[in-house]
């Protein structure tokens, strides 16, 4: 059984979706860089062990990341899931967890890397928007994409209404991606190739919420 750790900073709605999904892997721990993150209560309510590692307690990003790495290693984690974890991780940490760490980003990558994606979609006048589950690499929001959730951008949308709709589809595709990794449907091979049911995955699988 794959051991999963979830890294959080805030409310933890994606963590809750993972908990509710009854994954074939086991969420062995939840780490937050903020002691007041509501996600910690969600984990505790589900009898999942938690750990607070506050980034402000470390003088450098590298020392903070080393503390993260130590905890993950102690838990013997196989897969790290970033779920609203609001820290940029150092290159060394990312390389240590190459092929074993995923994130979900609120855009249809490679479009709109970084912040404020919903407003940027509206500014551009895009017809479709959504979210992408991807492996984490040292370059921000640039790792191999696994799944995408796609929604149409209707008239009179606001960044807030788009964010709400994107969150809803995140809660569907993130647990699906994690489950596929747990049961071997999706694999990250040593040569960097991603395979889905044994077939090379050259573009993300798309789920459309139309």
């Amino acid at each position: 059984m794959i051991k999963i750790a979830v890294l959080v900073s805030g409310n933890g709605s994606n963590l809750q979706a993972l908990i509710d999904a009854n994954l074939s892997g086991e969420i062995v721990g939840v780490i937050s860089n903020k002691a007041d993150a509501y996600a910690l209560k969600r984990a505790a309510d589900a009898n999942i062990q938690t750990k607070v590692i506050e980034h402000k307690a470390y003088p450098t990003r590298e020392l903070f990341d080393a503390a993260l790495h130590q905890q993950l290693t102690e838990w013997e984690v196989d897969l790290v899931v970033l779920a609203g974890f609001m820290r940029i991780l150092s290159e060394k940490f990312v390389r240590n967890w190459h092929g074993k760490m995923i994130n979900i980003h609120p855009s249809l990558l490679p479009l709109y890397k970084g912040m404020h994606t919903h407003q940027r979609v509206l500014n551009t006048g895009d017809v479709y928007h959504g979210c992408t589950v991807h492996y984490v690499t040292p370059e921000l929001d640039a790792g191999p994409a696994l799944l995408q959730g796609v929604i149409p951008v209707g008239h009179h949308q606001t960044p807030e209404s788009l964010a709400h709709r994107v969150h809803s589809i995140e809660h569907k595709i993130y647990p699906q991606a994690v489950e596929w990794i747990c049961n071997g449907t999706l694999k990250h091979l040593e040569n960097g190739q991603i395979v889905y049911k044994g077939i090379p995955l050259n573009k993300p699988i798309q789920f459309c919420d139309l």
Side-chain angles (χ1 to χ4, degrees):
M1 180 181 290
I2 283 184
K3 293 183 178 181
I4 303 163
V6 184
L7 273 54
V8 298
S9 295
N11 179 58
S13 63
N14 270 313
L15 169 63
Q16 190 65 58
L18 293 168
I19 292 170
D20 294 343
N22 294 316
L23 302 166
S24 58
E26 179 188 5
I27 302 175
V28 297
V30 172
I31 301 175
S32 177
N33 64 313
K34 295 184 177 181
D36 61 351
Y38 186 70
L40 294 171
K41 183 179 186 304
R42 296 181 187 272
D45 288 346
N47 295 315
I48 299 170
Q49 61 183 324
T50 62
K51 179 76 173 182
V52 175
I53 304 176
E54 294 190 277
H55 61 276
K56 293 181 180 179
Y58 296 86
T60 67
R61 187 182 305 276
E62 288 73 19
L63 287 173
F64 169 72
D65 286 359
L68 278 183
H69 179 77
Q70 181 178 350
Q71 184 60 68
L72 295 170
T73 302
E74 288 180 7
W75 284 344
E76 299 180 333
V77 168
D78 302 301
L79 178 67
V80 179
V81 177
L82 306 183
F85 186 64
M86 303 305 291
R87 296 290 298 168
I88 295 176
L89 296 162
S90 65
E91 182 173 342
K92 180 180 179 181
F93 181 91
V94 172
R95 293 198 183 282
N96 281 336
W97 293 94
H98 175 71
K100 299 179 180 180
M101 181 162 56
I102 61 173
N103 186 34
I104 190 163
H105 181 74
S107 80
L108 298 175
L109 292 173
L111 298 175
Y112 310 116
K113 298 176 183 179
M115 304 289 287
H116 311 299
T117 61
H118 311 304
Q119 184 63 63
R120 291 157 69 190
V121 164
L122 293 174
N123 291 346
T124 308
D126 289 359
V127 177
Y128 294 104
H129 185 32
C131 51
T132 305
V133 180
H134 64 95
Y135 277 105
V136 178
T137 58
E139 184 182 350
L140 184 66
D141 300 328
L146 305 176
L147 280 75
Q148 290 183 325
V150 183
I151 61 170
V153 180
H155 297 296
H156 311 299
Q157 292 281 281
T158 65
E160 292 75 21
S161 65
L162 269 183
H164 177 74
R165 293 174 62 208
V166 169
H167 280 148
S168 294
I169 199 165
E170 283 181 8
H171 300 160
K172 298 175 183 177
I173 72 165
Y174 213 6
Q176 182 65 80
V178 173
E179 176 58 23
W180 279 349
I181 293 171
C182 288
N183 65 28
T185 300
L186 271 171
K187 293 183 179 180
H188 187 292
L189 304 182
E190 289 186 5
N191 64 4
Q193 177 69 64
I194 313 301
V195 295
Y196 172 71
K197 296 183 177 179
I199 300 172
L201 184 68
N202 297 315
K203 60 181 181 179
I205 299 164
Q206 290 192 328
F207 291 81
C208 298
D209 189 1
L210 304 178

